[in-house]
Amino acid sequence: MTTLAPAHPRIDWSGMVLALLLTLVIVGPLLVVATWAFTEVWRYPNIIPQQFGFRFWGQTLGRPDVWNALILSLRLSTVVTLLSALICLPAAYAFARMTFPGRDILFFSFLAGHAFPKFGLLVAIAAIFLQLDLIGTFWGVVLIQLVGTLMFMIWIPVAAFQAVDRRMEEAARDVGAGPLRVFWSITLPQAGPTIAAALLLSFVGTFYETEGAWLIGAPGIRTMPILMISYINNQMVIQYGAVLSVLLWVPSFIALMFARRIIGGGAFARGFGG
Amino acid sequence: MSVLNIAEVTKTFSGGTNAVDRFSLDVAGGELVCLLGPSGSGKSTLLRMVGGFEQPTGGRITIDGEDVTHLPPERRPTGMVFQSHALWTHMNVFKNVAFGLRLRRMPAKQIREKVEAVLELVGLAGYGDRMTTQLSGGQQQRVALARSLVLEPKILLLDEPFASLDQHLRERLRDEVRDIQQRLGITTLFVTHGQDEALSMADRIVVIANGRAEQIGRPDAVYRDPKTPFVAGFIGLMNLIEGEVKNGHFIRSEFTTPLPIADGPATLAIRPEALDLTASNAPTARVHRVTDYGSHGLVDLDLADGTRLKSTVANLDLFQAGQGVGLLPRAVAAYRENQQIYRS
Ligand SMILES: Nc1ncnc2c1ncn2[C@@H]1O[C@H](COP(=O)(O)OP(=O)(O)OP(=O)(O)O)[C@@H](O)[C@H]1O
Ligand SMILES: [Mg+2]
């Protein structure tokens, strides 16, 4: 192992190996997929495609179902994230700052829902939704994906609220702010970066969510990831799937850029550290 | 006329801790009262009840005749300065100070004038654009003070505001706060466990122990005439000697001194500066150590049973360790059952 502060600069072999492994495991497949997206001909045993081109981009983007799915996915993610914030932020604040009977059990149950195999839960919910005529509807999918965001939209903001100095809030009360005003002007901005991280996770997580969207949404609701899966399953043209998956990176990139802008690197990391 | 009245206020926390116990105090307009006591004596709890951050479990608090006992902090005419300054780190200095004025919907121009004036008052003119994290500890505490002062509270509450600062800064800020307080004539409750702080800046001192007022009085009076053994031992250096009174004499080991009170156990209190040492053929104490403080000398003495006493002397050269001396108290106070029963 390497020491924390080596006396003289040395090559950090273990670090290099780790970086290399990460590159192979994460960047490698991404590169392959990206390459496929711009490939027109690539036959075994060649290492490099014989012919690059945008033919499949034109074909993929020319399909109305792709655009419908993209817009639907963005709408879903936005609605789910907003609803989740509306429900979870006040709840997280309550968990962090108030004592009420059953508080610990309730908090635990939010986390416990994610400790069990998720598919069983989904099937149970699907059965209920069938009764309520929510299967195959936009709001049905919203509801199921909302459930998926609950854990980190509660857990992370609870940690964020708990980290806010109580004295700061008291000082605001002292100069005349009521409880709501204190929450809005002091607590929320103080917890802001961490909560922004949770919102981002919620948005991106919802965008890529497939299990719930498929189980509840099919066949009427086809989100981007589901569309991609069906392409890969039903059509032997690899490029369709590759183009779509490259397209799917776009929201993560935008989200990450956005995150860096509003939070800044350090605060973003702190958000995950609590 | 009293501005703040605390009447029989009690606070029992849910765990059963009796933090404040039937505490009463009257504070006159413009007065600075120091709450002085050891750690855990209930000073902060009392202050927080005046500020509205804790609810008393008994008693009443009135400000200018208005019962505020059950009002939330935002509806009390009090301003609190916390030990940890509690500045809002996501706002700059100006916004920190202006926040309370904004809540009062004051026009922007007027807010600017007031904030600038108060920043000038605390010696931070021109610091408005700084973020609070870019300030030193002393400057942060000044901003916290400005944040309270700008609202012109009827009562200023300070909870060990300088505890985290170094000695020099603490003394300087202490003087500045006292100046500002007197200039504005603002009624102030000041919590500290430093007796220097209390003695140097207070109009009156409240010595608190176990949530109760042991003694309330002017600093010099509390120092000169402590009414309980606790106060005697807490303020300044004091020899507190447990002993017996027999036939008008206090006796501890070989040390006796006339004490005209009824027979029985008693605690004798003698300031080191009121305990003279004499050459004696039958010494009652032995010199343990001699310490030179420059301005004066301090002699540590042991009675035959090991009781340690201290005496302040002008001429150190007369004493050396191991030497036998006689003791001659010039002024004493005696306590029995926690009450002062005699003072010479
Ligand atoms: N929120 C609380 N819940 C339970 N007990 C408390 C609470 N706050 C204070 N106490 C207890 O009340 C007593 C008085 O505490 P307080 O903070 O008022 O003391 P203090 O005189 O300010 O001490 P220090 O000089 O250390 O600040 C202590 O025994 C403390 O443990
Ligand atoms: Mg305290």
Side-chain angles (χ1 to χ4, degrees):
Chain A
M1 286 310 291
T2 54
T3 52
L4 278 177
H8 51 90
R10 259 188 6 213
I11 299 174
D12 181 356
W13 285 111
S14 57
M16 297 264 284
V17 169
L18 194 67
L20 207 71
L21 268 176
L22 274 178
T23 314
L24 281 178
V25 172
I26 296 177
V27 182
L30 289 183
L31 261 176
V32 172
V33 171
T35 313
W36 264 116
F38 297 98
T39 293
E40 290 183 4
V41 185
W42 190 358
R43 285 197 195 87
Y44 187 80
N46 288 45
I47 296 179
I48 301 174
Q50 283 96 337
Q51 197 185 335
F52 288 103
F54 286 94
R55 184 153 61 86
F56 287 96
W57 281 81
Q59 288 186 11
T60 314
L61 292 182
R63 302 179 61 114
D65 55 348
V66 169
W67 286 104
N68 287 342
L70 182 65
I71 289 167
L72 175 70
S73 276
L74 288 175
R75 262 174 63 211
L76 262 177
S77 305
T78 310
V79 168
V80 167
T81 304
L82 286 182
L83 275 181
S84 184
L86 216 63
I87 297 169
C88 295
L89 291 186
Y93 184 76
F95 279 128
R97 281 297 148 86
M98 296 166 195
T99 47
F100 47 87
R103 171 180 174 276
D104 291 344
I105 290 174
L106 203 58
F107 185 48
F108 183 70
S109 69
F110 270 112
L111 307 185
H114 286 253
F116 302 110
K118 202 171 153 204
F119 217 77
L121 187 69
L122 286 179
V123 170
I125 294 179
I128 300 172
F129 279 18
L130 203 59
Q131 302 261 303
L132 298 175
D133 259 346
L134 282 169
I135 297 290
T137 66
F138 180 79
W139 290 103
V141 176
V142 166
L143 274 180
I144 196 78
Q145 295 192 322
L146 198 56
V147 173
T149 62
L150 287 185
M151 183 179 76
F152 44 81
M153 280 298 282
I154 295 267
W155 200 355
I156 297 177
V158 162
F161 286 135
Q162 276 172 343
V164 175
D165 183 2
R166 295 297 281 265
R167 297 284 178 264
M168 279 193 202
E169 296 176 346
E170 289 182 346
R173 294 290 295 269
D174 197 48
V175 298
L180 276 178
R181 184 62 198 236
V182 172
F183 179 78
W184 184 249
S185 295
I186 310 297
T187 317
L188 210 51
Q190 283 287 324
T194 313
I195 287 173
L199 287 175
L200 201 68
L201 267 180
S202 168
F203 186 89
V204 173
T206 306
F207 193 92
Y208 294 116
E209 200 273 343
T210 52
E211 292 169 17
W214 175 73
L215 200 71
I216 304 294
I221 300 292
R222 300 182 101 195
T223 64
M224 267 305 253
I226 287 181
L227 190 68
M228 191 182 82
I229 292 171
S230 74
Y231 275 14
I232 293 172
N233 285 346
N234 303 335
Q235 316 198 355
M236 283 317 287
V237 185
I238 276 186
Q239 282 89 335
Y240 279 140
V243 167
L244 274 192
S245 77
V246 170
L247 267 181
L248 278 182
W249 297 344
V250 173
S252 329
F253 273 126
I254 294 175
L256 269 176
M257 289 301 136
F258 184 62
R260 278 186 52 90
R261 269 187 57 109
I262 59 167
I263 320 174
F268 194 54
R270 218 174 338 140
F272 291 103
Chain B
M1 37 134 228
S2 101
V3 166
L4 170 66
N5 179 261
I6 302 172
E8 296 274 311
V9 162
T10 297
K11 175 72 186 183
T12 311
F13 282 107
S14 46
T17 315
N18 225 353
V20 175
D21 189 13
R22 277 166 291 143
F23 182 97
S24 296
L25 177 69
D26 241 327
V27 183
E31 197 179 19
L32 189 153
V33 174
C34 265
L35 303 176
L36 180 62
S39 191
S41 54
K43 308 179 296 288
S44 295
T45 306
L46 183 62
L47 203 72
R48 290 170 58 76
M49 285 194 287
V50 177
F53 303 106
E54 302 282 359
Q55 278 291 306
T57 44
R60 256 163 54 101
I61 299 173
T62 42
I63 296 174
D64 258 354
E66 187 198 358
D67 187 342
V68 300
T69 317
H70 299 293
L71 288 186
E74 64 267 27
R75 291 179 47 204
R76 297 190 186 204
T78 54
M80 179 105 159
V81 178
F82 297 85
Q83 176 178 340
S84 58
H85 62 69
L87 295 177
W88 303 306
T89 49
H90 59 288
M91 302 182 191
N92 64 17
V93 170
F94 181 89
K95 285 186 176 153
N96 264 273
V97 180
F99 186 68
L101 297 173
R102 292 228 169 100
L103 290 176
R104 284 160 179 72
R105 308 198 180 284
M106 191 177 274
K109 184 161 165 287
Q110 212 176 331
I111 290 182
R112 181 154 288 280
E113 284 166 7
K114 287 201 100 158
V115 172
E116 273 164 14
V118 79
L119 283 180
E120 170 127 30
L121 181 72
V122 299
L124 285 179
Y127 279 72
D129 292 332
R130 292 270 198 109
M131 288 312 282
T132 58
T133 45
Q134 299 169 326
L135 300 176
S136 71
Q139 289 168 333
Q140 288 172 332
Q141 219 37 288
R142 287 167 210 249
V143 176
L145 184 65
R147 181 172 70 180
S148 289
L149 286 179
V150 78
L151 299 174
E152 296 167 17
K154 282 184 185 154
I155 296 167
L156 185 63
L157 306 168
L158 302 123
D159 192 353
E160 307 201 38
F162 314 136
S164 58
L165 307 178
D166 70 57
Q167 177 77 21
H168 277 291
L169 196 56
R170 189 156 58 218
E171 282 170 15
R172 217 175 83 200
L173 271 174
R174 176 210 290 168
D175 290 346
E176 281 178 26
V177 166
R178 177 64 162 155
D179 280 349
I180 291 172
Q181 182 266 334
Q182 285 182 324
R183 191 137 35 109
L184 303 180
I186 184 165
T187 311
T188 305
L189 263 187
F190 190 110
V191 163
T192 174
H193 56 229
Q195 47 168 298
D196 288 355
E197 219 151 78
L199 290 171
S200 68
M201 66 191 296
D203 292 311
R204 269 193 309 156
I205 290 179
V206 181
V207 181
I208 304 185
N210 301 318
R212 313 204 56 161
E214 286 274 324
Q215 186 168 354
I216 302 177
R218 289 178 35 179
D220 56 321
V222 174
Y223 183 86
R224 264 191 290 101
D225 186 17
K227 293 296 185 198
T228 69
F230 175 83
V231 177
F234 192 71
I235 308 266
L237 271 183
M238 179 69 91
N239 297 302
L240 280 177
I241 315 165
E242 310 274 343
E244 283 286 324
V245 177
K246 262 198 198 114
N247 303 325
H249 275 78
F250 176 88
I251 305 165
R252 169 80 193 219
S253 190
E254 261 130 62
F255 167 64
T256 80
T257 189
L259 192 61
I261 59 174
D263 288 4
T267 303
L268 193 69
I270 316 169
R271 291 271 177 216
E273 58 265 31
L275 182 62
D276 285 348
L277 306 182
T278 59
S280 166
N281 296 333
T284 52
R286 202 157 286 285
V287 174
H288 172 73
R289 195 204 334 257
V290 180
T291 316
D292 190 352
Y293 283 100
S295 57
H296 64 280
L298 194 67
V299 178
D300 286 347
L301 309 146
D302 286 330
L303 296 184
D305 66 355
T307 308
R308 174 67 50 85
L309 302 179
K310 289 174 189 298
S311 165
T312 318
V313 296
N315 195 343
L316 275 174
D317 302 336
L318 298 175
F319 306 97
Q320 47 191 290
Q323 179 184 353
V325 291
L327 303 177
L328 187 65
R330 275 185 286 114
V332 302
Y335 304 90
R336 183 174 283 165
E337 283 160 4
N338 222 25
Q339 297 289 315
Q340 191 187 66
I341 52 171
Y342 175 80
R343 187 163 88 96
S344 66

